[in-house]
Amino acid sequence: MGNELIQAPLAGTGAANQDVFSETLQALAATDRNIVVVTSDSRGSGKLVPFGKKYPAQIVEVGIAEQNLVGMAAGLASAGKKVFAVSPACFLTARALEQIKNDVAYSNNPVKLIGISAGVSYGALGSTHHSLHDFAVLRAIHNMTIVVPADSFETTQAVQQVAASEQPYYLRFGKKPMPLLDETGETTFQIGKGRVIRRGSDVAIIANGETVYPALQAAQKLATENGIEATVVSMHTIKPLDEKLLSELALECKAILTVEEHSVNGGLGEACASWLLKNRYHKPFDILGIPDEYTVTGSQVEILNHYGISESGITSRVKTLLNTLT
Amino acid sequence: MEATKDVTLTLHNSLLTDDSSLITHHLSLKSREYRRNILKYIYKAKAGHTGGSLSCIDILNVLYNEVLNVSPETFTSPDRDRYIQSKGHCVEALFVVLADKGFFPESDLETLCKYQSHYIGHPTRKVNGVEQNTGALGHGLPMSAGVALAAKMDNRDYRVFTLMGDGELPEGSNWEAALTAAHYKLDNLCAIVDLNGLQITGPTKDVCNTEPLDKKFESFGWAVRHVDGNDVVALKEAFDALPFEKGKPSVMIAHTVKGKGVSFMENELKWHHGVPSEEQYKIAMQELSPAP
Ligand SMILES: Cc1ncc(C[n+]2csc(CCOP(=O)(O)OP(=O)(O)O)c2C)c(N)n1
Ligand SMILES: [Mg+2]
């Protein structure tokens, strides 16, 4: 990336990733009149109301019509616009899946699909509003890069990089405020390269998005209370997967746990498992995600706690996993 | 409200008999009770879709108390009428009516949106009386058309009703189903559009204009009728007139006010999913007093 780093105003302040996204996009749009945002009655949730006020000529509203959103975005992109199609991840990647597959990926129109309020961000609104399928379906589509930033740094970087790229992307954001994750002082971000947040040789915890933070909390707890040293990776890019980093982790650590705010079927965990097994890395391995069941009712935090996607849940999963070694 | 300007208001006053004025009185009291309960449970849950629930509650009131042949006892009958709420986000309206009709104890709603409750922020079949899981917009009409077609196949007399938001109309699935419903002459199907003129971003006409809506449905082969969707008498009359035309699906364009019944919520965008503060809750309940 030759781009100069643009400091989004919210970066580093513990803002929600999707808020950092909209701030970054505003900063980019100030100098690039070719950037167009397309929304489907979603500008409020996407925190794009200020964008619409500042750049009314650069926002297109299609109404509640996600298929139309993606189809139009593909058309706009094919005519040279730098298009960000923004809608809740649940509707964007389910309702408009065929438009994503054919109009964006297959036809190679460089639309940036932005899935907001992802995972179980919508909490008690229930399964219609959860996106626990998006990694799985998009992983199976050729020519689709899937990026799930963990904090404001990764978000700012990811938005700048995809804006400068001529390829289709899916970026997934939640709405929970996230602290900056920089225990190792890692200051580079590259799509397709996992970011090591913490180093330790007992276990590797591979997470993405909003689950990286509880993974880091668990690692700190494991170190102070149990003398277990964990590496924590923000595997922000699920596809293409950072195979080099995976093989390093498999060689360095005794066990691997993946964590994601997604179904245990077809997401980050299975992507890692399949690569590791195919390449003969036989390690104790487990996938922590939302199980294949009728999702419990609650706020996002209650749902994540219920399924152990939390500091204490990850801690106990790691211990169970390491116990299989003895 | 501009949207209500050209409503063909029926002269229902001249038609009122003693009997019907009793019904009217009863229904108006019910509407007030339902509005109070909508606010009560949204206030307790600290979540909910206030404006759209208040705009559609008179429609649900008339449907469940005067039109549908459903009750907790008949809910498993293959001959029951079906109600599928396409604008699922206004689940509070549905839940308070179902509780009133005895599908579950009203006290269950104390758990609305709480950890491990079955009462989530959208209709789900885990709750007794709910026909279909909705919440993603643009699903009610296609599913309803399917249920209505099954009635025709099996020579059953039940009818199917679906309630749609005006903001959800741009979903293409609605228009695909509109074609199919007319093609199969589903005159046992009735779609009600809650035309409150607002969605999340702003006025529906500014977000994605769907007018002239009646002409669109007509050209798709539907029988159309405008109705004041906050007037229980007008609603009852309209439902009594179904099917509006034999051999055609019916659509009721219900002109409503979003936030209806609470002065500071009426036609105010922010009450789409606004939750009242303690102060606002008190004022709102006062406006909806006395409790029936
Ligand atoms: C497919 C889909 N897209 C987006 C949403 C998010 N959403 C929920 S309510 C709403 C606005 C609905 O407006 P309208 O249909 O006019 O409903 P009402 O005014 O009756 O509340 C939106 C965009 C959704 N539930 N489903
Ligand atoms: Mg509306």
Side-chain angles (χ1 to χ4, degrees), chain A residues 89-90 116-123 129-132 134 172-174 261-262 300:
Chain A
C90 52
I116 55 174
S117 306
V120 294
S121 296
Y122 280 127
H129 284 57
H130 296 163
S131 56
L132 301 174
D134 47 346
R172 188 213 223 218
F173 297 118
E261 193 174 334
H262 183 274
Q300 180 190 33

Side-chain angles (χ1 to χ4, degrees), chain A residues 41-44 61-67 91 95 124-129 294 296-299 302 306, chain B residues 113-117 120-122 124 126 134-139 167-168 170-171 173 199-201 207-208:
Chain A
D41 201 12
S42 48
R43 79 180 66 186
E61 173 64 58
V62 300
I64 306 174
E66 294 77 11
Q67 301 180 57
F91 311 125
R95 191 53 153 278
L125 291 184
S127 292
T128 53
H129 284 57
Y294 190 99
V296 72
T297 301
S299 66
E302 284 167 336
H306 182 86
Chain B
C113 290
K114 299 267 157 56
Y115 180 52
Q116 289 186 321
S117 170
I120 65 167
H122 286 99
T124 137
K126 298 256 176 194
T134 52
L137 296 166
H139 287 251
E168 87 169 279
E171 288 289 1
S173 51
Q199 50 194 105
I200 297 179
T201 304
V207 174
C208 180

Side-chain angles (χ1 to χ4, degrees), chain A residues 15-71:
Chain A
N17 292 338
Q18 70 191 39
D19 300 358
V20 177
F21 153 74
S22 84
E23 293 282 341
T24 311
L25 199 60
Q26 271 189 66
L28 290 169
T31 53
D32 189 346
R33 291 298 146 129
N34 218 20
I35 286 181
V36 173
V37 172
V38 194
T39 51
S40 51
D41 201 12
S42 48
R43 79 180 66 186
S45 358
K47 298 283 159 52
L48 289 162
V49 173
F51 185 104
K53 291 213 170 105
K54 244 169 147 174
Y55 309 108
Q58 286 170 261
I59 190 161
V60 177
E61 173 64 58
V62 300
I64 306 174
E66 294 77 11
Q67 301 180 57
N68 190 23
L69 169 95
V70 177

